[in-house]
Structures are given as structure tokens and as C-alpha cells.
């Protein structure tokens, strides 16, 4: 087990929350426009208020992970896809110093996009640092296309509740799940946890 204190500090070089929020704002606006959705239509599909979506798109608020997941559901994409759009001729290499990092303002969990940015691929890899005592509940319901993901615990322990079942995972354990139901992520221990999520994004076209 690696030292939790030293390994879970944020990297100042990648802690650019305002820049990331602007990127999220532009990405959500672009996806909504591409899909021909008005603010009202996206609000209805995502169960996020019109005013909140407008604030997010103008970069006037820092959305939580739960709100972003609802918007991803309404737009038909993965949560990870809200942080960057595919680009032609994108590099297949992602240096650690360049990997985008974002912190959820509500739970304090930090996600790092491990996969090469903007590179079109059927897989996305995300690393999560999850604080002790934190809980995040994703409420999104059934999607038009199921999103499969696997969670691999690197440090600490995590608990996942979905499909009426409770799973407690420790370092080295891996859990497969589908994002088509309510999922609770929680760390009831006194130590932070770190895990990797591998998401299948092969169905995405944008």
C-alpha cells in the first residue's frame, strides 16, 4: 500500500479549475447545439433546471459531479466526455503533467482524465481520488445505449450500491457495472481511496 497522504495531494500544475469549468461550459453548449436541443429541452431530458444549465454554459457556476452526470445522460454521452471533445489528428500520448484534473465542488473527489485528450477511442480511462467519508450518488436512469464500465481499486476501499446489491471493494478488486441505474459511490473508511474507471465509449459519435 502506498502512502495515502503523499500520493493523493493535488498537482498544482494540473489544478486549473476555472479553465476546466470553461471547457465544460463550452463542451455542454456545443453538444446541446449539435443535438438541436433548446435549454428547455435539455432541462426536461436531464432533470436539471433551465436556469442551472444556462449558468453552467455561461461559466458562472461550478457544476457538481451529480449535475454533470445528469447532463451527460440528457446529452447521450459519458460523464468523461463532457471534459473534452474528439479532434482530428489528436496525439495518442497523454503525459501525466498534461492530464486534465477536476475536483467535484460538493464531495471533494478529484478525477484525472488518464486517456489521451481529444483522441477518438472506444475506451476512456479516468483515475479518481475519493475522500474519506464522502458519498456521490448518480441518479441517471436507463439510457438509450448502455454504458459499460469497470472500476479497479488501487488504494483504500470503496463501496458501491446498485441493482439492489452492496459491493465493498479493497485494493486490487475490480467491479464491472452498467450505467443504466442509480449508483452510489461511497467511502465509509477513515482513509482516502484511489481507483481507476475504464469506460466503454464505442457508441459515441461526438
Amino acid at each position: 500500500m502506498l502512502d495515502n497522504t503523499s500520493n493523493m495531494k493535488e498537482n498544482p500544475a494540473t489544478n486549473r479549475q476555472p479553465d476546466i469549468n470553461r471547457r465544460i461550459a463550452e463542451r455542454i453548449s456545443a453538444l446541446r447545439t449539435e443535438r438541436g436541443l433548446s435549454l428547455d429541452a435539455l432541462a426536461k431530458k436531464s432533470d436539471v433546471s433551465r436556469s442551472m444549465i444556462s449558468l453552467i454554459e455561461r461559466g458562472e457556476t461550478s457544476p457538481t459531479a451529480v449535475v454533470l452526470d445528469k447532463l451527460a445522460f440528457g446529452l447521450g454521452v459519458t460523464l468523461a466526455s463532457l471534459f473534452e471533445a474528439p479532434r482530428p489528428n489528436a496525439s495518442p500520448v497523454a503525459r501525466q503533467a498534461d492530464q486534465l484534473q477536476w475536483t467535484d465542488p460538493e464531495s471533494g473527489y478529484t478525477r484525472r482524465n488518464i486517456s489521451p485528450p481529444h483522441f477518438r477511442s472506444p475506451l476512456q480511462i479516468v483515475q479518481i481520488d475519493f475522500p474519506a467519508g464522502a458519498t456521490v450518488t448518480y441518479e441517471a436512469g436507463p439510457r438509450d445505449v448502455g454504458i459499460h464500465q469497470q472500476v479497479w481499486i488501487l488504494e483504500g476501499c470503496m463501496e458501491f450500491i446498485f441493482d439492489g446489491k452492496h459491493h465493498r471493494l479493497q485494493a486490487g478488486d475490480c467491479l464491472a457495472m452498467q450505467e443504466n441505474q442509480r449508483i452510489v459511490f461511497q467511502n465509509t473508511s477513515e482513509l482516502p481511496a484511489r481507483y481507476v474507471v475504464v469506460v466503454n465509449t464505442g457508441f459515441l459519435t461526438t
Side-chain angles (χ1 to χ4, degrees):
M1 180 70 69
L2 298 176
D3 178 75
N4 286 292
T5 302
S6 63
N7 278 280
M8 294 193 180
K9 291 181 179 178
E10 292 185 357
N11 183 342
T14 57
N15 188 23
R16 308 184 184 96
Q17 199 79 356
D19 290 341
I20 296 172
N21 286 336
R22 283 194 291 272
R23 183 181 302 189
I24 292 171
E26 293 171 358
R27 177 69 169 144
I28 291 174
S29 179
L31 285 169
R32 182 174 63 80
T33 300
E34 290 171 6
R35 283 153 176 73
L37 296 173
S38 65
L39 287 172
D40 289 328
L42 180 55
K44 184 176 181 180
K45 288 173 67 70
S46 64
D47 195 28
V48 176
S49 70
R50 183 187 189 282
S51 59
M52 174 60 71
I53 298 173
S54 179
L55 286 172
I56 292 172
E57 290 191 359
R58 296 200 305 269
E60 296 179 3
T61 188
S62 298
T64 66
V66 172
V67 169
L68 289 179
D69 184 67
K70 289 182 177 182
L71 290 174
F73 172 78
L75 292 166
V77 299
T78 64
L79 176 58
S81 299
L82 296 185
F83 291 86
E84 55 197 25
R87 294 177 183 171
N89 304 317
S91 172
V93 177
R95 305 297 181 189
Q96 182 176 0
D98 299 326
Q99 291 168 1
L100 182 147
Q101 184 170 300
W102 175 82
T103 300
D104 177 18
E106 185 172 79
S107 68
Y109 95 73
T110 297
R111 61 183 295 127
R112 181 192 296 274
N113 283 15
I114 303 296
S115 298
H118 312 297
F119 187 79
R120 188 176 294 277
S121 169
L123 298 175
Q124 288 178 322
I125 303 175
V126 179
Q127 175 184 292
I128 304 293
D129 286 339
F130 209 92
T135 298
V136 174
T137 302
Y138 294 117
E139 300 283 359
R143 300 175 187 257
D144 294 336
V145 179
I147 300 175
H148 292 269
Q149 64 180 15
Q150 295 192 14
V151 178
W152 179 32
I153 308 298
L154 301 181
E155 303 176 31
C157 61
M158 286 290 299
E159 297 176 47
F160 304 89
I161 304 172
F162 65 94
D163 196 24
K165 298 179 181 179
H166 181 279
H167 303 270
R168 182 179 176 85
L169 275 64
Q170 298 181 330
D173 296 341
C174 183
L175 173 67
M177 67 179 80
Q178 188 171 358
E179 291 187 35
N180 63 350
Q181 58 198 302
R182 182 178 186 269
I183 304 176
V184 179
F185 291 68
Q186 61 183 16
N187 179 1
T188 59
S189 74
E190 297 180 353
L191 295 174
R194 171 173 289 173
Y195 58 91
V196 166
V197 182
V198 180
V199 185
N200 170 29
T201 59
F203 68 92
L204 296 177
T205 58
T206 57

